[in-house]
């Protein structure tokens, strides 16, 4: 049996993640949820034989949750950190362009999501639990670099727009 615990800090994240997990089409796959002091814990159990398939599916569900709840916040942090010298209106424009680029990239094979899924898959192989926010802050650097690239594209696009 393979079990894994995902700790989230909001009811909305918990519900979204459970919804994602319920879409996994594996036999011998079970989901339970427990609330402790700080986190909501979603525990998944798999008693089947295809651990790799289980971990790949779990990686997909976690990646979907991260992109749903953290992408916009990560983009904002990148813009504020790297383009602090721009006005708030300019930063807002870059944010809107970044979100459009991200939306289009998600519609066309998820630009950086494969990187994110692979990073999560590697994490799942080495660990039995994760604090979702901790993974976002410390374990998905390569994915954040793809979001940084999206911001660079948005800045270039914005500068081209204001030049003409």
């Amino acid at each position: 049996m393979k079990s894994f615990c995902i700790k989230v800090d909001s009811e909305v994240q918990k519900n979204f993640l459970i919804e994602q997990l319920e879409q996994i089409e594996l036999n011998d796959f079970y989901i339970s949820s427990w609330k402790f002091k700080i986190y909501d814990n979603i525990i998944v159990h798999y008693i089947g034989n295809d651990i790799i398939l289980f971990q790949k599916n779990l990686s997909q569900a976690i990646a979907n949750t991260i992109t749903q709840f953290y992408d916009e916040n990560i983009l904002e942090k990148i813009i504020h950190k790297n383009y602090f010298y721009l006005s708030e209106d300019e930063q807002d424009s870059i944010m809107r362009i970044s979100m459009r680029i991200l939306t289009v990239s998600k519609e066309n094979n998820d630009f950086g999501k494969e990187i994110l899924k692979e990073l999560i898959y590697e994490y799942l192989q080495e660990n039995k639990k994760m604090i979702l926010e901790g993974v976002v802050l410390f374990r998905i650097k390569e994915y954040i670099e793809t979001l940084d690239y999206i911001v660079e594209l948005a800045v270039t696009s914005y500068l081209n727009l204001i030049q003409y």
Side-chain angles (χ1 to χ4, degrees), residues 15-161:
N15 292 336
F16 183 86
L17 181 55
I18 289 173
E19 190 177 291
Q20 293 294 306
L21 293 169
E22 287 173 343
Q23 294 176 19
I24 295 175
E25 295 179 6
L26 283 175
N27 293 326
D28 303 321
F29 177 70
Y30 306 95
I31 304 166
S32 61
S33 177
W34 299 92
K35 173 76 174 167
F36 291 102
K37 287 183 181 179
I38 299 173
Y39 297 107
D40 283 304
N41 294 274
I42 298 111
I43 304 157
V44 292
H45 307 280
Y46 179 63
I47 57 175
N49 294 325
D50 197 346
I51 301 297
I52 292 172
L53 182 61
F54 163 70
Q55 290 176 328
K56 293 281 185 182
N57 280 290
L58 185 55
S59 298
Q60 176 71 49
I62 294 169
N64 290 344
T65 304
I66 289 172
T67 58
Q68 176 72 25
F69 291 97
Y70 291 96
D71 277 359
E72 188 172 343
N73 189 15
I74 293 168
L75 288 172
E76 284 178 356
K77 286 180 180 179
I78 291 168
I79 292 167
H80 292 306
K81 178 183 172 196
N82 296 338
Y83 302 98
F84 60 89
Y85 52 86
L86 296 175
S87 72
E88 193 172 315
D89 287 342
E90 290 171 320
Q91 289 182 22
D92 288 344
S93 294
I94 292 168
M95 183 63 188
R96 282 192 301 279
I97 295 168
S98 296
M99 289 303 294
R100 274 190 245 132
I101 293 169
L102 187 60
T103 301
V104 168
S105 71
K106 285 180 181 179
E107 292 168 359
N108 297 313
N109 296 329
D110 294 330
F111 181 65
K113 199 175 224 178
E114 287 305 316
I115 293 169
L116 180 58
K117 286 188 326 194
E118 188 59 34
L119 292 169
I120 294 167
Y121 177 73
E122 290 170 8
Y123 185 89
L124 293 176
Q125 291 177 316
E126 299 169 5
N127 298 281
K128 294 184 180 196
K129 65 182 176 192
M130 83 168 34
I131 298 172
L132 192 63
E133 188 168 358
V135 168
V136 170
L137 292 173
F138 302 111
R139 294 289 188 131
I140 59 169
K141 180 181 176 194
E142 292 88 350
Y143 177 67
I144 291 173
E145 288 171 356
T146 63
L147 295 179
D148 191 19
Y149 178 70
I150 287 174
V151 171
E152 288 178 26
L153 292 174
V155 169
T156 301
S157 176
Y158 175 74
L159 292 175
N160 287 336
L161 283 172

